[in-house]
Amino acid sequence: PMAWNPLPFSSWHLVVLDSQQRGNTKDQVARIAESRPGSAPLLSAIGQLVSRVEEVLDQPDELGPLLSENHRLLQRLGVSTPRLDELVDFALQHDALGAKLSGAGGGGVVFALLETPAHVDRLCRAATQSGVVGWACQALEGPHA
């Protein structure tokens, strides 16, 4: 059995930006499956990146760029959309440490990691002023085993 460690939520400041586009997980998974073996190197690179992410979950300055690197790999895999890419760029232009699409892609949301609550407020204000739908996320700390 796998041991679960609590995630360091207290060091995470997140904003979710909504593309207002609906993705279809089934279609995305089928498309990636059809692209094999050509997609295998990208999937391998994503797997290696996940291992690096696991080592820096409590270090936002290290974690942020890895999130953005993951987004670039997902772009190359073909699961991003121009709107998701715009939202990642928007977050990075407004002081996010990193940002990436969430889920299977093809639509949905982007999440951005920010350094402080003040950075969260600035990104949320910029999103509102730009007509981007978004919200700040506050992690709820549960019991730790």
Side-chain angles (χ1 to χ4, degrees):
M2 180 183 266
W4 293 95
N5 294 319
L7 293 172
F9 291 123
S10 60
S11 63
W12 292 1
H13 302 285
L14 300 175
V15 170
V16 174
L17 303 173
D18 193 340
S19 72
Q20 302 288 290
Q21 298 170 330
R22 187 176 172 103
N24 185 313
T25 301
K26 182 180 174 185
D27 289 348
Q28 293 289 70
V29 170
R31 199 170 56 67
I32 297 304
E34 290 170 7
S35 70
R36 284 190 157 185
S39 62
L42 287 172
L43 294 172
S44 177
I46 290 169
Q48 292 171 10
L49 184 65
V50 169
S51 296
R52 289 171 47 205
V53 164
E54 289 174 337
E55 298 170 4
V56 297
L57 285 174
D58 60 343
Q59 301 168 46
D61 287 344
E62 299 287 327
L63 178 59
L66 295 178
L67 297 176
S68 296
E69 183 178 339
N70 180 260
H71 184 78
R72 287 189 293 278
L73 290 169
L74 294 169
Q75 278 179 307
R76 290 177 49 203
L77 196 57
V79 298
S80 191
T81 67
R83 182 61 178 157
L84 291 170
D85 297 342
E86 288 171 8
L87 292 175
V88 167
D89 291 343
F90 182 85
L92 294 174
Q93 290 164 6
H94 291 90
D95 298 326
L97 298 170
K100 68 176 290 295
L101 67 84
S102 180
V109 301
V110 159
F111 71 90
L113 178 68
L114 293 113
E115 188 172 5
T116 67
H119 290 100
V120 168
D121 290 344
R122 281 198 289 268
L123 176 55
C124 287
R125 277 197 304 276
T128 298
Q129 291 170 354
S130 299
V132 173
V133 175
W135 55 95
C137 297
Q138 180 179 359
L140 300 175
E141 300 231 19
H144 298 281

